[in-house]
Amino acid sequence: MATIVGAATALSASKSFDSGKLHLPSRRSLSISERKGSFLVVRSDGSVVHKAHRAQKLIANAVATKADSSAASTASKPGHELLLFEALREGLEEEMDRDPTVCVMGEDVGHYGGSYKVTKGLATKYGDLRVLDTPIAENSFTGMGIGAAMTGLRPIVEGMNMGFLLLAFNQISNNCGMLHYTSGGQFKIPIVIRGPGGVGRQLGAEHSQRLESYFQSIPGIQMVACSTPYNAKGLMKAAIRSENPVILFEHVLLYNLKERIPDEEYVCSLEEAEMVRPGEHVTILTYSRMRYHVMQAAKTLVNKGYDPEVIDIRSLKPFDLHTIGNSVKKTHRVLIVEECMRTGGIGASLTAAITENFNDYLDAPIICLSSQDVPTPYAGTLEEWTVVQPAQIVTAVEQLCQ
Amino acid sequence: MALAHVASSTSRSNLLRPISAFVSPNLRRQLSTDDTRTLTIETSVPFTSHKCESPSRSVDTTPSELLSFFRDMATMRRMEIAADSLYKAKLIRGFCHLYDGQEAVAVGMESAITKKDSIITAYRDHCTFLGRGGTLLEVFSELMGRIHGCSKGKGGSMHFYKKDSGFYGGHGIVGAQIPLGCGLAFAQKYKKDGTVTFALYGDGAANQGQLFEALNISALWDLPAILVCENNHYGMGTAEWRAAKSPSYYKRGDYVPGLKVDGMDALAVKQACKFAKEHALKNGPIILEMDTYRYHGHSMSDPGSTYRTRDEISGVRQERDPIERIRKLILSHDLATEKELKDTEKEVRKLVDDAIAQAKESPMPEPHELFTNVYAKGYGVEAFGADRKEVRAVLP
């Protein structure tokens, strides 16, 4: 399996890889920085293929004036480089500095530093009352977070693995999602529930769950999925500042992504999708880890002459039908690539939403590639076959564009 | 005189302990409703405690407090009975869980705390809401689903809330309010308020795992949480000895101290809550078990007589009724005459009837209210959904 490594970093072990990619700043985005990069493709046998000359250098438009001026004053590359979990921690720390009512609770977030190091160092900095180690009792500490949020605190509840939050489903569904409504607007629940989910490296069935499909029907909550250090930090900050309960889905395999993010403060919009690669032929909607599979497939597709438009939907509830709709109106073909299960997953809802709203603009039926409806097996080869691989994405696009 | 915990039918006879004689100061004064002299009254049953000392049996109170107890409890009793008739007239639908018989717990607790302290309870919340300062109009409007209800008609019987006076509901799922209550206590500790949270639950909810989880965390973090078990001896249709191996709910906190209180005696409840508040602010969580009783069934669809005898219900009503107890106290201390109390009851009845009439006039919510308050409008952009054609706001 090939992985993408940025040109700036040296070849390292397969664990950390640069998510340097082309990013056209959306005119609605709050971020004002621009990034350019070229690609190296590293095959799993270690050989390197230069594809830099094939990478497209899109020049950012004049919107990014502020970055130009700040870039001129700093070193040649603005911003600082960090890994995704560090970006999450930076966002968390900035918000905790800014607002004294923000607190974190979860298992091993305090003295241990977080099982994925997202909260490392925060307990020594903010003390035990703001970074709380809880016993292993998800139902009740999620309930306690919600109770604290009812009074105006802004807790962040960390599930060590998203799958453990199934134990707190009652609290999330009934109390977190519905309290604002059933109290007639009296109580706001500004809680953030976050944690890593998704299929990892042979973690077994119970630790590879994708809960976004289970939570998506709960009225009153917002769900977002981060995929790069840039949007991880932005979404974390936006989620903390939001007055609604937000569930932030991270992915176990994406924690070591490295990227350069701006020094200045920025927040992403919770309801907005991200245009990863504009194109003309087909719209590929994806989120979280599948974004990288899609971008890999995009390379192959570009070689074959297709021009896919890749959108990272980011906001899983509510869907950003504005961006998606504009894209569908342009390309008339939709492919959804997700890691959720086939039955009742995010892709299924998205297919329904697009068909309801944009049926007239579609030239072909929507193809939705999702994981198999099986518990994730332990064996490496079987696990690979449960999730969508780039080859399947290429085949699907070819099928769509016939 | 502690309740025996025997897993047999004789346990039901323990509910019929009569009001025993009490000590009263030998003063005979004329009626004076705003008299603030102190009366010391002894509770009929001593407190039983677990890992803490019991508070004293002698409760200080004033004539005006006793009269307000009477008035408040009469209002609550009248309200619940009126709700019963409204339900049978199909003006209230769905679930309606009535609190009559248990009024002493709500009223006694209120007298021991301030509106800055928080109360959270389960679905049997009409009277607790009233105690926290809710009005009869809000109660009946909400029960009938009108916009003047406390939750704008969108909550219903089980979802009464009053944020400005610290009443956090009103929850339908059994036991789910206990972690919420401990979260409220956590926020109080975080903000260093000096206030406490009373998280009420029933004997049925006492077997929920999340109670013990939340209790563990509260004890670990020293939260000012007071867990109050309103033990009316029946979890819907299941008697407590059939549901709990150990029905001494005040002891089940193990490392957390507990106190068992006669929940039909408003003064005992007041004393216990005062004691618990002081304890919680210094030493962390404490469990109070209120030994109380409900006359109605679990809800309006439950006649309440299939799992207990009518004799038992009428026996408790004769021997331990909370309003009768206060009435006897008032009469024996000459704080009011029989006629004045009857007049109060008539007045209360009229107030309730007026509120019902007013609530019936109140309109049903508009259709657009279906979509309001799903999300709190917050950070800039409006949500854009497939089923709503709202225009997106411009990002800042």
Side-chain angles (χ1 to χ4, degrees):
Chain A
M1 220 164 70
T3 53
I4 302 177
V5 178
T9 58
L11 282 172
S12 54
S14 61
K15 277 273 184 237
S16 82
F17 51 106
D18 199 316
S19 63
K21 62 208 166 303
L22 299 169
H23 187 91
L24 186 69
S26 142
R27 64 187 176 284
R28 282 188 304 283
S29 170
L30 287 174
S31 76
I32 44 176
S33 70
E34 32 146 338
R35 281 178 305 288
K36 293 191 278 186
S38 52
F39 292 85
L40 281 174
V41 176
V42 180
R43 295 212 211 277
S44 46
D45 57 13
S47 58
V48 175
V49 178
H50 244 289
K51 295 238 192 234
H53 59 285
R54 291 201 199 268
Q56 284 148 45
K57 287 190 169 43
L58 290 172
I59 300 172
N61 55 28
V63 170
T65 46
K66 201 167 164 199
D68 283 335
S69 55
S70 66
S73 57
T74 57
S76 57
K77 283 200 182 134
H80 53 285
E81 210 171 54
L82 40 55
L83 304 174
L84 196 144
F85 70 85
E86 289 169 352
L88 286 168
R89 188 194 321 146
E90 225 180 67
L92 193 46
E93 208 171 325
E94 282 174 19
E95 289 304 304
M96 287 181 84
D97 275 332
R98 185 176 165 271
D99 186 352
T101 60
V102 177
C103 54
V104 183
M105 51 174 86
E107 294 156 14
D108 279 331
V109 296
H111 297 182
Y112 189 80
S115 47
Y116 293 94
K117 293 180 281 193
V118 175
T119 51
K120 191 164 179 194
L122 295 182
T124 34
K125 184 170 173 191
Y126 296 108
D128 276 342
L129 196 58
R130 291 187 74 187
V131 182
L132 302 143
D133 277 326
T134 61
I136 306 176
E138 281 81 9
N139 196 3
S140 44
F141 72 70
T142 312
M144 285 178 71
I146 297 167
M150 280 167 92
T151 64
L153 288 191
R154 306 186 92 95
I156 297 155
V157 172
E158 172 171 322
M160 193 182 271
N161 188 295
M162 269 295 176
F164 306 162
L165 289 182
L166 283 173
L167 289 158
F169 204 107
N170 175 50
Q171 296 289 351
I172 295 175
S173 163
N174 288 331
N175 293 330
C176 180
M178 301 195 198
L179 259 176
H180 186 68
Y181 190 85
T182 56
S183 65
Q186 285 179 65
F187 295 111
K188 292 205 266 238
I189 318 283
I191 193 175
V192 177
I193 299 174
R194 49 162 290 268
V199 176
R201 295 254 181 266
Q202 296 188 252
L203 297 176
E206 289 171 3
H207 292 77
S208 313
Q209 298 195 65
R210 283 78 80 189
L211 290 204
E212 47 267 21
S213 52
Y214 303 159
F215 287 139
Q216 64 176 321
S217 311
I218 301 175
I221 58 165
Q222 282 190 265
M223 302 202 305
V224 284
C226 63
S227 47
T228 65
Y230 178 81
N231 63 33
K233 179 176 170 185
L235 289 174
M236 171 72 100
K237 288 169 73 92
I240 297 175
R241 293 188 195 187
S242 165
E243 299 292 326
N244 298 317
V246 179
I247 305 187
L248 174 57
F249 290 94
E250 300 150 14
H251 198 287
V252 274
L253 291 182
L254 297 183
Y255 275 129
N256 288 322
L257 280 179
K258 196 188 288 198
E259 191 186 356
R260 187 167 281 276
I261 65 169
D263 284 328
E264 55 271 342
E265 199 181 10
Y266 68 92
V267 197
C268 292
S269 168
L270 283 179
E271 292 97 8
E272 209 179 67
E274 192 179 317
M275 177 75 71
V276 184
R277 182 192 186 284
E280 296 288 326
H281 287 164
V282 60
T283 301
I284 306 184
L285 302 171
T286 180
Y287 66 92
S288 193
R289 180 178 166 230
M290 287 296 120
R291 168 184 174 143
Y292 298 96
H293 283 207
V294 166
M295 289 312 290
Q296 247 186 284
K299 295 299 114 202
T300 321
L301 286 168
V302 163
N303 290 343
K304 292 193 177 185
Y306 295 99
D307 189 15
E309 176 156 296
V310 181
I311 296 180
D312 181 347
I313 59 174
R314 258 176 22 189
S315 167
L316 304 177
K317 185 183 169 88
F319 292 130
D320 182 5
L321 287 176
H322 190 106
T323 312
I324 295 172
N326 286 343
S327 178
V328 173
K329 288 174 190 171
K330 186 166 61 159
T331 65
H332 310 298
R333 291 181 176 80
V334 179
L335 170 68
I336 302 173
V337 180
E338 53 155 5
E339 208 178 339
C340 251
M341 308 294 216
R342 175 120 211 116
T343 309
I346 298 281
S349 304
L350 195 50
T351 310
I354 297 176
T355 317
E356 263 171 33
N357 286 297
F358 307 115
N359 196 25
D360 294 335
Y361 297 98
L362 289 172
D363 282 347
I366 302 175
I367 295 187
C368 177
L369 297 177
S370 29
S371 300
Q372 305 300 320
D373 275 329
V374 295
T376 313
Y378 167 72
T381 44
L382 291 180
E383 188 187 60
E384 230 177 76
W385 294 332
T386 55
V387 289
V388 179
Q389 299 297 338
Q392 295 165 319
I393 303 174
V394 172
T395 321
V397 170
E398 287 172 344
Q399 197 184 336
L400 256 185
C401 292
Q402 269 163 1
Chain B
M1 258 167 53
L3 270 191
H5 304 291
V6 189
S8 72
S9 56
T10 58
S11 65
R12 277 183 248 137
S13 60
N14 289 320
L15 302 165
L16 306 179
R17 286 167 292 106
I19 305 172
S20 55
F22 40 76
V23 175
S24 70
N26 208 355
L27 302 161
R28 293 200 170 264
R29 285 249 196 120
Q30 290 303 315
L31 166 68
S32 168
T33 47
D34 44 19
D35 197 355
T36 48
R37 71 197 151 98
T38 314
L39 299 169
T40 306
I41 300 177
E42 201 168 278
T43 66
S44 48
V45 179
F47 299 101
T48 355
S49 67
H50 167 76
K51 295 210 171 149
C52 68
E53 334 133 0
S54 310
S56 142
R57 271 176 82 170
S58 308
V59 187
D60 287 336
T61 181
T62 67
S64 57
E65 186 173 59
L66 285 176
L67 287 163
S68 78
F69 276 7
F70 182 83
R71 194 192 171 81
D72 289 338
M73 289 204 278
T75 313
M76 291 175 180
R77 178 69 61 92
R78 191 67 230 138
M79 173 180 80
E80 296 294 71
I81 295 179
D84 181 321
S85 338
L86 283 177
Y87 192 90
K88 289 181 172 135
K90 289 209 195 302
L91 282 162
I92 302 177
R93 316 299 297 270
F95 291 122
C96 190
H97 305 89
L98 298 177
Y99 199 74
D100 53 330
Q102 297 182 214
E103 299 92 352
V105 176
V107 155
M109 190 181 290
E110 278 306 319
S111 64
I113 60 177
T114 68
K115 292 287 188 283
K116 293 245 174 356
D117 297 308
S118 312
I119 296 186
I120 190 170
T121 181
Y123 41 78
R124 211 176 290 277
D125 54 354
H126 306 166
C127 299
T128 324
F129 173 75
L130 209 62
R132 282 264 97 179
T135 64
L136 286 168
L137 175 63
E138 282 177 333
V139 171
F140 286 114
S141 306
E142 186 62 35
L143 286 175
M144 294 197 267
R146 312 298 170 104
I147 58 170
H148 289 119
C150 50
S151 304
K152 306 207 183 101
K154 301 208 278 196
S157 158
M158 295 190 285
H159 298 287
F160 282 21
Y161 302 93
K162 197 164 170 65
K163 183 168 187 180
D164 49 3
S165 50
F167 181 56
Y168 288 86
H171 294 275
I173 304 292
V174 168
Q177 78 275 9
I178 301 169
L180 289 184
C182 295
L184 297 173
F186 169 69
Q188 286 170 331
K189 180 172 169 139
Y190 194 97
K191 294 183 194 169
K192 301 185 175 45
D193 271 353
T195 52
V196 295
T197 300
F198 284 82
L200 281 67
Y201 59 98
D203 47 299
N207 301 313
Q208 274 268 323
Q210 45 191 330
L211 196 168
F212 298 98
E213 288 178 14
L215 201 56
N216 179 36
I217 301 182
S218 308
L220 263 179
W221 293 350
D222 269 325
L223 302 181
I226 298 160
L227 272 65
V228 180
C229 177
E230 294 179 292
N231 183 6
N232 54 28
H233 306 284
Y234 294 96
M236 200 160 99
T238 309
E240 59 172 347
W241 52 270
R242 290 181 63 225
K245 188 73 179 170
S246 158
S248 33
Y249 299 106
Y250 69 107
K251 283 194 191 158
R252 282 170 71 166
D254 185 24
Y255 41 83
V256 169
L259 198 64
K260 192 179 169 96
V261 185
D262 179 6
M264 304 298 250
D265 181 355
L267 292 169
V269 172
K270 173 185 166 183
Q271 182 83 327
C273 291
K274 249 173 55 180
F275 172 80
K277 178 168 174 173
E278 281 163 31
H279 184 281
L281 284 173
K282 282 202 306 278
N283 302 337
I286 181 172
I287 298 184
L288 295 179
E289 182 185 337
M290 304 285 177
D291 185 353
T292 178
Y293 199 84
R294 54 168 163 83
Y295 299 140
H296 269 89
H298 164 75
S299 68
M300 287 307 300
S301 54
D302 171 27
S305 49
T306 52
Y307 45 87
R308 49 185 191 175
T309 60
R310 290 194 200 279
D311 288 338
E312 181 188 300
I313 305 173
S314 51
V316 175
R317 205 189 272 271
Q318 271 164 17
E319 310 275 346
R320 294 178 67 201
D321 185 73
I323 301 182
E324 288 313 306
R325 190 189 294 247
I326 296 290
R327 190 199 298 266
K328 284 198 178 81
L329 266 178
I330 291 177
L331 292 176
S332 71
H333 287 258
D334 268 341
L335 303 175
T337 62
E338 182 87 32
K339 183 176 176 311
E340 271 150 4
L341 293 181
K342 281 258 183 314
D343 282 342
T344 312
E345 283 182 321
K346 278 209 195 83
E347 198 190 319
V348 156
R349 197 184 176 113
K350 185 170 179 316
L351 278 175
V352 167
D353 289 338
D354 285 344
I356 293 179
Q358 213 184 337
K360 281 182 184 166
E361 301 290 312
S362 171
M364 287 283 198
E366 294 289 309
H368 71 86
E369 287 283 328
L370 181 60
F371 295 109
T372 57
N373 295 132
V374 180
Y375 293 105
K377 290 299 173 213
Y379 182 62
V381 183
E382 283 182 56
F384 182 87
D387 55 341
R388 285 170 291 142
K389 309 282 190 267
E390 280 175 274
V391 178
R392 282 172 58 93
V394 178
L395 280 178

